[in-house]
Amino acid sequence: MFYDTFDLVRARADTPGVEHVVHLNNAGAALAPKPVVDAMTSHLNLESRIGAYEAAEHAQESIDHTHDAIAALLNCTRFEVAILDSASRAWAMALSSIPLRAGDRILTSAVEYGSNYVSLLHLAQRLELELEILPVDEHGLVDVMELEQRIDERVRLIAVAHVPMHDGLINPVAEIGRVARRHGITYLVDACQSVGQLPVDVAEIGCDLLVGTGRKYLRGPRGTGFLYVRREIAHQLTPAILGLDGAEWLAGTYRLAPGARRFETWETNCASRIGLGVAIDYALGWGVERTSRQIRRLAQDLRRDLAGIPGVLVADRGRERCGNIALTFEDRDPYAVRENLQRAGINTWVCLENAACVDMQQRGLSTLLRISPHYYNSPEELARLCTTLEEIMTVRRVARVVA
Ligand SMILES: *Cc1c(COP(=O)(O)O)cnc(C)c1O
């Protein structure tokens, strides 16, 4: 009934991996669609035949296109986009470029990704900044009223994850953006879990900086990340580290590249960069609104079914939850459950505390089993997950009774 309007047959026909595995680790790295795999292997082949620099010249148009694809995805211009080798790198470069001094305050959320949070701690220590965690409402979302209360002239940066790595919640990034804009505070959004999963529009969010990664819901290659830098503030931002694409060397001095380009390095994995562009074109071809609805439908049904399995607890929160489902177990180690599922051909992932240090610690969680469906997953696959999980839970219980 629900799924009839979505062309699942085409989605699966385009995804070679579905023949081999039930892939429910899309928040980790999704299965790439065939056009992405083809574009990348064909470029690698070209590099091996004619030389890598020469292959890059040959494929210049496809390589350049990736900036346009990201701009189309985020609703910005290509000059506001930098492509890097990971979102962590992009995020750290963005942070390093913001002028901050002792006594400045940074407001951030409890669900920030581990490497971002560690970077914040490191910088706060080095520069004597005050790092503050924003309170959340009953759904686990950043409380925007509380945020507004905390603002004074010393707050220089608001950094928030749109969707965390370990939870289905969706932070109110556009409402936070309105507060940031009203007070003229630099606003950095981590959209790693949302790009490709939810519509992400930088104009609507009202952010100054935003990072995304290629391999997750966008279904692009590993080792790709990107940074959006709003045109109006790019000239105020100087990344701590420059490369040959970030600056022009002028015999004895240098000039920073305009716009977001100053955040880039010259060297890049061309096959991956091409693959990222193709992945985004592919996602836009489906329409992110449409695939987003499908992901949320699947996740909603799956949460309900998982919650019905004895011993399984759905731990994620949110007012309107997305595709990232988090489970804990009454008497099972998430690692053992994952291993059993993997043996049955079902991919899931275990999130550790460093997925979102502050939040996991506050809630007394050390590990979670994350199940993250994508639009190409079928209802049959999700039913298979539930049956297998039910078996895993039962075997254990029987074994305990016998013992
Ligand atoms: C994966 C992830 C990151 C880091 O992305 P990389 O490309 O692996 O550096 C940051 N934030 C969130 C919320 C993530 O899920």
Side-chain angles (χ1 to χ4, degrees):
M1 25 130 224
F2 255 138
Y3 306 106
D4 291 351
T5 54
F6 187 80
D7 195 351
L8 185 60
V9 174
R10 176 162 84 85
R12 292 178 70 77
D14 282 355
T15 308
V18 300
E19 285 176 27
H20 307 282
V21 72
V22 175
H23 192 68
L24 299 170
N25 186 17
N26 294 288
L31 295 177
K34 202 163 178 305
V36 171
V37 181
D38 290 347
M40 290 178 66
T41 43
S42 123
H43 189 76
L44 286 175
N45 281 326
L46 188 65
E47 284 188 342
S48 74
R49 279 204 312 274
I50 69 167
Y53 284 18
E54 294 72 15
E57 285 171 343
H58 193 267
Q60 198 60 55
E61 224 171 281
S62 325
I63 293 170
D64 287 347
H65 171 70
T66 305
H67 281 93
D68 295 314
I70 297 168
L73 178 76
L74 302 178
N75 184 28
C76 63
T77 64
R78 72 192 316 274
F79 306 102
E80 297 175 298
V81 171
I83 302 176
L84 291 119
D85 55 3
S86 77
S88 298
R89 178 72 65 232
W91 198 93
M93 292 275 274
L95 180 66
S96 81
S97 74
I98 302 168
L100 293 166
R101 55 190 153 79
D104 285 347
R105 295 169 62 206
I106 297 177
L107 305 182
T108 192
S109 86
V111 297
E112 294 309 296
Y113 181 68
S115 43
N116 297 355
Y117 189 64
V118 168
S119 299
L120 280 173
L121 280 176
H122 182 53
L123 195 72
Q125 220 169 60
R126 263 176 42 199
L127 300 184
E128 293 176 46
L129 312 169
E130 287 172 31
L131 183 60
E132 297 167 42
I133 305 294
L134 291 165
V136 294
D137 65 13
E138 74 272 26
H139 302 289
L141 311 186
V142 167
D143 188 325
V144 183
M145 303 266 262
E146 279 283 339
L147 164 70
E148 184 109 46
Q149 300 279 312
R150 291 195 175 206
I151 291 194
D152 65 16
E153 69 288 346
R154 286 197 297 129
V155 175
R156 288 283 156 192
L157 170 67
I158 300 173
V160 172
H162 191 183
V163 170
M165 177 184 158
H166 71 306
D167 200 295
L169 69 82
I170 305 168
N171 265 321
V173 283
E175 285 148 64
I176 297 169
R178 281 195 282 279
V179 176
R181 206 44 87 73
R182 194 156 55 238
H183 296 275
I185 298 167
T186 305
Y187 180 30
L188 163 59
V189 173
D190 174 357
C192 284
Q193 290 293 341
S194 49
V195 284
Q197 172 169 208
L198 301 169
V200 173
D201 178 327
V202 289
E204 201 182 296
I205 294 173
C207 52
D208 298 298
L209 299 150
L210 178 139
V211 303
T213 194
R215 71 181 183 278
K216 297 180 179 173
Y217 284 92
L218 281 175
R219 309 181 65 190
R222 293 200 66 172
T224 55
F226 51 86
L227 169 66
Y228 156 78
V229 185
R230 189 163 65 87
R231 184 207 305 261
E232 289 79 6
I233 67 150
H235 67 278
Q236 302 165 16
L237 303 174
T238 309
I241 294 163
L242 293 170
L244 263 187
D245 257 17
E248 190 187 351
W249 183 63
L250 303 164
T253 181
Y254 66 95
R255 183 164 52 217
L256 284 168
R261 214 49 64 88
R262 62 183 56 182
F263 289 88
E264 292 191 349
T265 54
W266 184 81
E267 174 56 358
T268 185
N269 180 330
C270 293
S272 286
R273 185 171 292 204
I274 294 168
L276 176 61
V278 174
I280 294 172
D281 288 348
Y282 183 82
L284 294 176
W286 278 94
V288 178
E289 289 275 359
R290 184 149 64 114
T291 50
S292 174
R293 272 198 303 277
Q294 179 69 1
I295 293 169
R296 278 177 291 173
R297 263 177 217 150
L298 289 171
Q300 194 181 357
D301 291 356
L302 183 55
R303 271 194 192 88
R304 185 202 52 217
D305 295 346
L306 289 167
I309 301 174
V312 173
L313 304 162
V314 175
D316 61 284
R317 303 149 300 165
R319 197 176 295 135
E320 203 203 327
R321 289 181 281 178
C322 68
N324 299 2
I325 302 173
L327 302 181
T328 58
F329 304 96
E330 264 168 24
D331 59 358
R332 286 294 254 157
D333 173 12
Y335 278 110
V337 176
R338 173 178 175 245
E339 204 181 304
N340 280 311
L341 288 171
Q342 198 167 20
R343 228 174 274 144
I346 302 170
N347 290 347
T348 61
W349 194 249
V350 175
C351 288
L352 305 178
E353 263 181 338
N354 63 11
C357 325
V358 181
D359 178 62
M360 297 265 292
Q361 207 170 43
Q362 280 174 352
R363 294 161 68 206
L365 297 166
S366 58
T367 48
L368 290 166
L369 186 77
R370 184 186 60 199
I371 294 168
S372 48
H374 214 319
Y375 62 81
Y376 56 75
N377 288 121
S378 66
E380 291 73 27
E381 286 181 318
L382 303 186
R384 197 172 130 197
L385 164 74
C386 291
T387 319
T388 313
L389 195 53
E390 230 157 26
E391 280 165 18
I392 292 169
M393 301 305 287
T394 318
V395 167
R396 161 87 176 206
R397 278 156 187 254
V398 171
R400 283 182 95 209
V401 172
V402 172

